[in-house]
């Protein structure tokens, strides 16, 4: 599909869309004016598409420096009467939560939708959390789509609900829902034509401190108003078509499910001809209690199927207790389903079968040839790309520590969130502690205080702007001692190549001021600041040795573009002369370039992968590897 059809598609058109593409069509149909995000999988595609389509759709879009800023951009736009949208992955919501909690108190004037993409099973995340808790914590409505059509429809409805009750609305997706594909029928697009020289609509903020300045005297009343608003939403939840019963028969067993877990339950019931009705929950906070009571009256037992935490299950148990219903609940609390990771049809089927006994579980019988093949397939850990400039920095710090005779146990590596977390793997072993975005700098502060060991932190350029500056100020002010490496690969690489403030372009492709990491480090008082070319190993090792011996905070900025940036000139692959090779394996084992392997007792260079960074040429002492021509 041509992405422009998300803007030009007419009511009634049908397209085969990715879940995140459906979200974009939803905000376009809603007449969105302002959108802001910090990229994070599984929500990244939404920003990539909006970046491409924003001008055509009369939308202002930005990649903010972090999720908290994105939340504030969206909140102020909504306070000015515009429809605004902010979206992020689940851990990004933790960053945004401080301002988010207060938007529930102040409320909104224009519709505001917050899409949070959870990552059950942690395919690309450092933890597994259930962001539906934020709806309960803040007393805000939560919508849970289970397919692409519902993503589009719920995002659009979210703006209507937001304006009706004057509250932000959360749309919670999961990795599977964000990345599934399905047919989506388009609806009508609400007009959002700009009213001045810009291409996006402008609003007008009308001052009212009693609504927008939550000092204690005002905030006390705001909380009361919030409770009343969410009670109004409860009546809407009990009438909503997003909360509906799907009948399959007249069994005494029922199922209550939401989001992607509903899909698995639905598939298991259909494929096994089970006589079980489903109560599908789409508007899950506030919970549709009266609607559920009516559903429960028909059953002796119910299964609750949800990812990740037993949030709906708690609601169901509370409703059963409050209303003295004699219904047994099978879910996470009684061990019917796991309390962690994403589900699949097999997990749901096995949970149902514990009480329904509708099939005999058989262990798969593998042929001897298949068993042999499985035993021979090697495990492959994720690796840095061939030619990645980060590899040279990891090699360089280990070489510098070796030359300074710093024992391995005396060198702590504080890592961060990004591609460079792969420094964890051998032979680099350069990740010992990791908490969150920007934590490598704060962790460096802590280790500097708590130990006498050498501390080296690694952080990416985008992550530095996201949340690395504040802890760097802390480090300088409190006279701490550690080395911080800023891996400036000129892009936000791990989430798909989005711009960041260190680049001369903004989220809509327009020219923008480039913010200098070196000048920031100098400005906050760092006395040791060096910019190095990571593809120059001699310079890297020399600089690391100086930094490790510096008494204070040392910042090394490794500046070299990510090898995946489109349009970069490709250098010729290296030449390999087998006759000069001494099989020392420094290139394959110590540098561990993914384009070089040791196979059949010899070094092999995969020239289709090699991009001519020539780091291996500098590692080889025997001239077996030379620069390509």
């Amino acid at each position: 599909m041509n992405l422009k059809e998300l803007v030009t598609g007419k009511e009634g058109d049908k397209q085969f869309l990715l879940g995140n593409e459906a979200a974009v069509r939803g905000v376009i149909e809603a007449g969105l004016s302002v959108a802001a995000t910090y990229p994070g999988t599984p929500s990244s595609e939404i920003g990539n598409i909006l970046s491409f389509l924003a001008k055509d759709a009369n939308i202002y879009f930005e990649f903010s420096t972090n999720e908290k800023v994105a939340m504030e951009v969206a909140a102020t736009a909504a306070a000015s009467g515009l429809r605004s949208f902010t979206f992020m992955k689940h851990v990004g919501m933790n960053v945004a939560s401080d301002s988010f909690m207060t938007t529930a108190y102040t409320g909104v004037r224009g519709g505001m939708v917050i899409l949070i993409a959870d990552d059950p099973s942690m395919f690309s995340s450092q933890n597994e959390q259930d962001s539906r808790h934020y709806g309960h914590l803040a007393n805000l409505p939560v919508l849970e789509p289970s397919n692409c059509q519902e993503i589009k429809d719920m995002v659009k409805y979210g703006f209507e609900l937001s304006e009706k009750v004057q509250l932000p609305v959360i749309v919670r997706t999961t990795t599977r829902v964000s990345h599934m594909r399905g047919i989506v029928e388009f609806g009508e697009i609400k007009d959002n034509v700009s009213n001045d020289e810009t291409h996006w609509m402008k609003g007008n903020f009308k001052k009212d401190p009693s609504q927008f300045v939550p000092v204690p005297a005002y905030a006390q009343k705001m909380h009361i108003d919030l409770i009343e608003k969410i009670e109004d939403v409860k009546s809407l939840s009990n009438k909503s078509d997003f909360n509906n019963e799907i009948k399959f028969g007249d069994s005494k067993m029922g199922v209550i499910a939401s989001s992607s877990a509903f899909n698995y339950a639905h598939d298991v019931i259909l494929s096994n001809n089970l006589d079980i009705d489903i109560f599908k929950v789409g508007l899950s906070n506030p919970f549709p209690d009266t609607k559920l009571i009516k559903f429960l009256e028909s059953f002796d037992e119910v299964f609750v199927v949800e990812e990740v935490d037993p949030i709906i299950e708690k609601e169901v148990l509370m409703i059963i207790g409050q209303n003295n219903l004699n219904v047994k609940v099978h879910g996470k609390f009684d061990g019917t389903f796991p309390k962690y990771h994403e589900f699949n049809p097999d997990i749901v089927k096995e949970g149902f079968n514990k009480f329904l006994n509708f099939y005999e579980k058989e262990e798969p019988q593998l042929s001897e040839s298949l068993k042999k093949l499985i035993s021979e397939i090697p495990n492959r850990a994720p690796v840095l790309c061939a030619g990645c400039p980060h590899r040279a920095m990891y090699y360089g710090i280990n070489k510098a520590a070796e030359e300074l005779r710093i024992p391995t146990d005396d060198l702590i590596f504080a890592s961060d969130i990004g591609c460079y977390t792969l420094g964890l793997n051998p032979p680099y072993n350069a990740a010992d502690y990791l908490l969150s975005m920007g934590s490598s700098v704060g962790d460096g502060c802590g280790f500097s205080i708590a130990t006498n060991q050498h501390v080296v932190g690694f952080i990416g350029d985008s992550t530095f702007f996201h949340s690395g500056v504040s802890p760097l100020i802390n480090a300088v002010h409190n006279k701490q001692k550690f080395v911080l490496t800023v891996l400036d690969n000129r892009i936000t690489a791990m989430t798909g190549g989005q711009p960041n403030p260190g680049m001369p372009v903004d989220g809509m492709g327009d020219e923008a001021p480039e913010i200098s990491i070196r000048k920031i480090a100098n400005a906050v008082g760092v006395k040791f600041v060096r910019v190095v070319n990571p593809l120059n190993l001699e310079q890297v090792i020399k600089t690391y040795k100086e930094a490790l011996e510096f008494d204070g905070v040392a910042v090394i900025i490794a500046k070299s573009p990510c090898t995946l940036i489109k349009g970069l000139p490709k250098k010729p692959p290296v030449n390999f002369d087998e006759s000069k090779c001494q099989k020392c394996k420094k290139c394959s084992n110590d540098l561990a370039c993914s384009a070089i392997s040791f196979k059949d007792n010899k070094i092999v260079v995969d020239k289709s992968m090699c991009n001519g960074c020539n780091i291996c040429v500098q590692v080889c002492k025997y001239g077996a590897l030379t620069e390509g021509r």
Side-chain angles (χ1 to χ4, degrees), residues 67-124:
E67 294 87 354
K68 182 174 182 287
V69 174
M71 183 69 67
E72 291 154 359
V73 168
T76 49
S80 302
L82 299 177
R83 288 192 166 184
S84 70
F85 182 49
T86 185
F87 49 98
M88 57 205 69
K89 69 182 296 175
H90 61 291
V91 286
M93 189 61 187
N94 300 335
V95 178
S97 61
D98 196 2
S99 294
F100 160 77
M101 288 297 296
T102 308
T103 65
Y105 275 41
T106 62
V108 296
R109 288 172 175 159
M112 179 179 175
V113 170
I114 304 163
L115 187 146
I116 312 171
D118 283 357
D119 189 21
S121 288
M122 299 164 282
F123 293 101
S124 59

Side-chain angles (χ1 to χ4, degrees), residues 126-142:
Q126 69 268 35
N127 67 35
E128 181 179 52
Q129 70 187 46
D130 193 325
S131 295
R132 294 178 297 173
H133 286 295
Y134 276 114
H136 291 262
L137 183 64
N139 278 308
L140 290 180
V142 177

Side-chain angles (χ1 to χ4, degrees), residues 568-580:
L568 285 180
K570 186 172 174 61
K571 296 178 182 177
V574 297
N575 296 315
F576 175 61
D577 186 344
E578 188 177 351
S579 65
K580 295 181 179 180

Side-chain angles (χ1 to χ4, degrees), residues 46 173 249 262 272 318 400 445 530 619 624:
I46 300 174
T173 64
F262 161 79
N272 293 277
M318 182 174 66
C445 295
R530 303 286 188 275
V619 169

Side-chain angles (χ1 to χ4, degrees), residues 202-266:
K202 290 296 184 79
N204 182 54
F205 178 70
K206 296 177 182 177
K207 296 185 180 185
D208 183 359
S210 66
Q211 179 180 357
F212 293 112
V213 186
V215 294
Y218 292 149
Q220 290 169 5
K221 183 178 183 301
M222 288 177 181
H223 194 192
I224 296 170
D225 291 342
L226 174 59
I227 299 301
E228 292 174 351
K229 287 178 181 179
I230 203 69
E231 285 298 318
D232 291 339
V233 182
K234 179 175 278 192
S235 65
L236 296 174
S237 180
N238 277 302
K239 297 173 185 174
S240 174
D241 291 337
F242 292 130
N243 299 322
N244 63 302
E245 184 177 345
I246 303 170
K247 296 192 71 66
F248 290 97
D250 55 3
S251 168
K252 288 299 180 182
M253 300 286 287
V255 170
I256 303 162
S258 70
S259 190
S260 48
F262 161 79
N263 297 330
Y264 307 136
H266 187 267

